[in-house]
Amino acid sequence: MNRTLRYGTLLAGSLLLGACGSDDPPPESNLYPTPEYVDDDPAQSTSQLSGFAWDPEAFFINLVGCPFPDIRCAPFLLDQGPLYGFSAMQKSSIVAFDPITGGPTGEPVQSDDLGVWSLYGVPSRSTVPYFVTALPTGSLSPAAQVPRGNYLPTVTLRPVVTHNSVCHVQEAASISTVGILEAVAKRLTANGSPTTVADFTNDKRFASVVVFWNYQPGSPLLRAPASCTTVKATVNNTPVGESYNVNWAPPGVLPPFLQQSTRGYFVDDQDATDGSGTKVSGLGITVFLLRASTSAPPREITFNLVDPTPPYNPANDTLVPDADPTAKPCLLKNRVKDRGQIKGEQFNPWRFQTIAAPPMPGIITFAGNQMWRKDQPNGPEGAVSPNLCLPLPAP
């Protein structure tokens, strides 16, 4: 049973110690054009936002089921490979959400068959950022071998500042009704709180629903799960809400009491290896829920992405044993697969800056966050992650 329950974690560990452990840049992609910047008066100018629409749940399922044993299965968001092509969202309606007005800016545009979209006429400003939002209109390619379902309106928690900035590679994620949130709804129901997936967009039930997926450090295009991590939420330093760590196994292989979703996701806490008792996700997936109440929701929630893996110890620098690595899956991060090629200090402990965000009732928030290594406390490109859309430095 232990081997079955930890199937998803073992897959993540295998990815962790395999080809995706490298942070070498992937081949050049036509999906990411070279940005052009023209200085202008922000009071009279608008910005163009462009990017891609994708289904992160489908991307992972394609990753673990990819039949090609070469670079085409590396977990990079590249238009040349099948992983992105089979998780790109076609005809997804994309808008820029404006926190000031609490609604969209301008009319939505639809992504093409490769998931590529462009928003024109977004007002330029250097103060409050926009957030890219995908409406539940898109679908996967007919060739994608992924369990199908509907989608929920999803805002990607990544600030887009449209003045003096580079905004040409923005993600528009879509969360399905048959994946991560279906697993959480089943767990809530089993715990005595009857819940459907549709309830997560009911502002009378929930004030905030955030799906976090932590990814390993490396290239900004890398989407390899950051195994054995979790997320903690506070308001004024006081813990709030509920957190559910999520794992994956092939759909239908687990017993019914584990409440596996149609796409194979299920709630499954793993024990961290630092002795703290912290519960983590084998795939870096944590769902945060803040239930609605009669009082006003907090103006801001602080999220801390946590990797409780102990610091690297060279004494543990040994080959991964063949016996049963699923027994203590998070210990995989303290080992190496090939002597001299992949070192444990690459993988623990990972870090990420604190995220402060307001609750967004009635919509799902997706936060895909690439962690940083301990020797890069401020990120690989300075104080912020390189794939954010933020103001450029002054000339």
Side-chain angles (χ1 to χ4, degrees):
M1 177 64 73
N2 280 345
R3 184 184 299 271
T4 301
L5 290 177
R6 297 189 176 96
Y7 192 100
T9 300
L10 178 58
L11 285 171
S14 299
L15 294 171
L16 171 74
L17 297 169
C20 70
S22 171
D23 60 357
D24 294 335
E28 184 176 351
S29 169
N30 294 328
L31 185 63
Y32 302 93
T34 301
E36 297 180 1
Y37 168 67
V38 178
D39 195 7
D40 201 355
D41 180 5
Q44 302 179 9
S45 66
T46 60
S47 295
Q48 174 188 344
L49 310 185
S50 59
F52 58 95
W54 72 309
D55 178 341
E57 298 174 349
F59 183 87
F60 176 76
I61 295 172
N62 291 326
L63 175 62
V64 296
C66 187
F68 306 106
D70 56 22
I71 189 62
R72 288 174 290 178
C73 283
F76 291 102
L77 285 170
L78 295 172
D79 54 334
Q80 295 100 330
L83 297 184
Y84 171 75
F86 290 156
S87 59
M89 293 292 294
Q90 303 176 351
K91 303 299 185 291
S92 183
S93 296
I94 309 299
V95 297
F97 178 81
D98 187 348
I100 294 179
T101 64
T105 295
E107 296 297 322
V109 298
Q110 282 195 334
S111 60
D112 63 17
D113 288 346
L114 279 177
V116 178
W117 52 268
S118 291
L119 279 171
Y120 299 92
V122 179
S124 294
R125 68 188 186 202
S126 58
T127 54
V128 179
Y130 297 91
F131 294 90
V132 176
T133 302
L135 304 179
T137 59
S139 61
L140 295 171
S141 164
Q145 300 298 312
V146 176
R148 304 306 174 103
N150 296 320
Y151 288 91
L152 300 168
T154 307
V155 59
T156 298
L157 189 60
R158 179 166 297 172
V160 180
V161 179
T162 53
H163 169 52
N164 191 28
S165 54
V166 177
C167 301
H168 292 275
V169 188
Q170 298 306 305
E171 298 183 23
S174 288
I175 297 299
S176 81
T177 59
V178 292
I180 294 169
L181 289 181
E182 183 188 10
V184 176
K186 287 186 173 183
R187 174 56 62 91
L188 292 174
T189 300
N191 289 346
S193 178
T195 304
T196 66
V197 177
D199 289 331
F200 291 129
T201 57
N202 182 350
D203 59 4
K204 301 296 190 296
R205 291 287 306 272
F206 295 94
S208 180
V209 178
V210 188
V211 177
F212 288 91
W213 201 324
N214 298 334
Y215 298 109
Q216 292 181 29
S219 163
L221 308 183
L222 183 67
R223 293 299 181 271
S227 60
C228 303
T229 58
T230 191
V231 178
K232 296 183 178 181
T234 59
V235 172
N236 297 325
N237 297 318
T238 301
V240 296
E242 309 161 45
S243 293
Y244 295 87
N245 296 308
V246 176
N247 211 325
W248 182 90
V253 306
L254 300 182
F257 70 86
L258 290 174
Q259 299 97 33
Q260 193 175 16
S261 73
T262 305
R263 285 185 167 182
Y265 294 92
F266 64 104
V267 175
D268 177 43
D269 289 331
Q270 302 285 332
D271 290 321
T273 57
D274 64 346
S276 65
T278 301
K279 302 297 183 180
V280 296
S281 165
L283 290 179
I285 305 172
T286 300
V287 176
F288 168 79
L289 303 177
L290 181 64
R291 296 179 187 263
S293 66
T294 55
S295 59
R299 293 176 58 87
E300 188 175 80
I301 302 174
T302 299
F303 298 102
N304 289 291
L305 281 59
V306 179
D307 178 5
T309 305
Y312 173 67
N313 183 355
N316 297 330
D317 194 2
T318 59
L319 296 178
V320 174
D322 294 328
D324 185 8
T326 65
K328 295 182 179 180
C330 289
L331 287 181
L332 288 172
K333 293 174 68 175
N334 289 332
R335 302 167 178 163
V336 295
K337 181 178 182 181
D338 298 310
R339 195 183 304 276
Q341 293 187 9
I342 300 176
K343 292 293 185 181
E345 63 263 22
Q346 287 182 276
F347 304 118
N348 59 85
W350 291 322
R351 301 177 179 180
F352 196 86
Q353 66 184 22
T354 297
I355 299 173
M360 299 185 191
I363 194 168
I364 306 302
T365 301
F366 175 75
N369 306 294
Q370 193 171 31
M371 306 290 280
W372 299 329
R373 296 197 186 109
K374 66 177 183 179
D375 58 350
Q376 296 173 317
N378 293 320
E381 298 294 334
V384 295
S385 180
N387 54 359
L388 298 181
C389 178
L390 295 172
L392 296 173

